[in-house]
Amino acid sequence: MSEIADKVKKIVVEHLGVEESKVTPEASFIDDLGADSLDTVELVMAFEEAFSVEIPEDAAEKIATVKDAIDYIEKQKAA
Amino acid sequence: MFSLQGKTALVTGASGGLGAAIARALHDRGAELVLSGTREAALAELAASLGERVHVCAANLSSGEEADALVGKAEALLGKPLDILVNNAGLTRDGLIIRMKDEDWSQVMTVDLESPFRLCRAALKGMLRRRGGRIINIASIVGVTGNGGQSNYSAAKAGMIGMTKSLAQEVGSRGVTVNVIAPGFIETAMTAVLPDVQREKLLGSIPLGRMGKPEDIAAAVVYLASEEAGWVTGMTMNVNGGMAMP
């Protein structure tokens, strides 16, 4: 797993208080990890801070799963 | 009851009469304060009279950038996160709509409605993370009842009441409460200049038979800021001597 994926996973575990084993790439923040809408906003803000990237509102809306977040951040970092 | 020991608070508009009374009351309950306002001399004087646990951070809230930066600056001065935000700063540019200039409308909107939004947004980041916080907005009775000659001011204050209710719903699950106080007519420099006839008429419409004191409002702020008010959110607290009972 990439360094970014590791860090994303860690933030999700920390923020949502879920077990690490549940944070699979396919896991949906809302459906599988028990996040509410405010949690998803807070997660996006935490990602922005941790990776020094800016995630605009329309991109943030599309981040539904752990993989979505990892992919988006990897793409930003590669650019 | 109502101890604010160990809590931090930012009060905007603290260079005015009402803001100073609010600051004094919060400080009296043990809070550490950041006083903000435009008149630096008045802020420094107030800070000196309060003594310990007080910082000054002047800001002009008609500037979006200054409004956005204020919470961060306050937290830097405190050296710890902000627990209580009191959006008290405001101004009036009274006039009948038919003669109202664009800038009289927009200036009131910017300072009285947009800057509280900016301050709430900035303060919430930390409050949500820490799962707690108190936001207290100071609106006005005219935001509830309307008042001829104050369409801009009453629109901004009514907007503040709507924003408070929405925000209370957004962040309630995180233990952050958001409430708004709608003060009636308060004895300040602004109302001291009213002609006697108008004053008599005004008093006649207040069941409790007197104008409010800044301390009447400050006491409501202390309550809403306290742990004891932890089950109160989205409320418009009408502190007006009974002048309006919406």
Side-chain angles (χ1 to χ4, degrees), chain B residues 60-68 87 89-91 93 102-119 152-153 155-157 160 163:
Chain B
N60 178 2
L61 297 180
S62 54
S63 148
E65 290 83 46
E66 286 195 37
D68 283 339
N87 281 312
L91 52 80
R93 291 287 179 271
D102 288 359
E103 65 250 39
D104 289 340
W105 176 269
S106 58
Q107 202 177 4
V108 168
M109 286 300 151
T110 303
V111 175
D112 295 8
L113 183 56
E114 190 179 313
S115 84
F117 148 69
R118 290 177 182 277
L119 284 153
N152 47 2
Y153 187 65
K157 294 304 191 181
M160 192 184 224
M163 178 177 75

Side-chain angles (χ1 to χ4, degrees), chain B residues 139-243:
Chain B
S140 165
I141 186 172
V142 307
V144 178
T145 63
N147 191 25
Q150 292 197 303
S151 58
N152 47 2
Y153 187 65
S154 52
K157 294 304 191 181
M160 192 184 224
I161 291 170
M163 178 177 75
T164 300
K165 293 176 180 176
S166 300
L167 184 53
Q169 293 177 31
E170 290 181 11
V171 299
S173 65
R174 300 302 190 271
V176 179
T177 70
V178 192
N179 291 289
V180 55
I181 297 171
F185 284 87
I186 305 298
E187 200 84 65
T188 62
M190 198 166 70
T191 46
V193 296
L194 285 178
D196 280 351
V197 188
Q198 239 183 13
R199 202 184 170 77
E200 283 306 310
K201 210 175 134 195
L202 184 62
L203 288 176
S205 64
I206 303 175
L208 288 175
R210 66 169 176 85
M211 303 268 262
K213 301 188 299 280
E215 290 74 21
D216 293 321
I217 307 306
V221 175
V222 166
Y223 168 65
L224 292 173
S226 71
E227 288 298 324
E228 284 81 357
W231 208 48
V232 178
T233 196
M235 177 179 66
T236 309
M237 196 166 179
N238 293 286
V239 185
N240 60 28
M243 189 177 184

Side-chain angles (χ1 to χ4, degrees), chain A residues 19-70:
Chain A
E19 288 196 17
E20 213 178 316
S21 60
K22 285 195 169 168
V23 187
T24 59
E26 294 75 32
S28 151
F29 296 119
I30 291 177
D31 296 333
D32 301 317
L33 301 176
D36 64 15
S37 63
L38 197 51
D39 283 317
T40 60
V41 173
E42 286 183 273
L43 275 174
V44 165
M45 282 162 54
F47 295 148
E48 287 183 324
E49 206 170 299
F51 296 102
S52 309
V53 294
E54 205 169 312
I55 307 177
E57 210 48 48
D58 53 337
E61 274 168 25
K62 291 185 194 120
I63 298 179
T65 65
V66 177
K67 186 173 183 301
D68 291 340
I70 295 168

Side-chain angles (χ1 to χ4, degrees), chain B residues 116-135:
Chain B
F117 148 69
R118 290 177 182 277
L119 284 153
C120 286
R121 183 173 61 184
L124 277 171
K125 285 195 177 180
M127 288 180 179
L128 293 180
R129 204 171 299 146
R130 293 190 314 280
R131 298 287 187 265
R134 295 278 187 268
I135 295 177

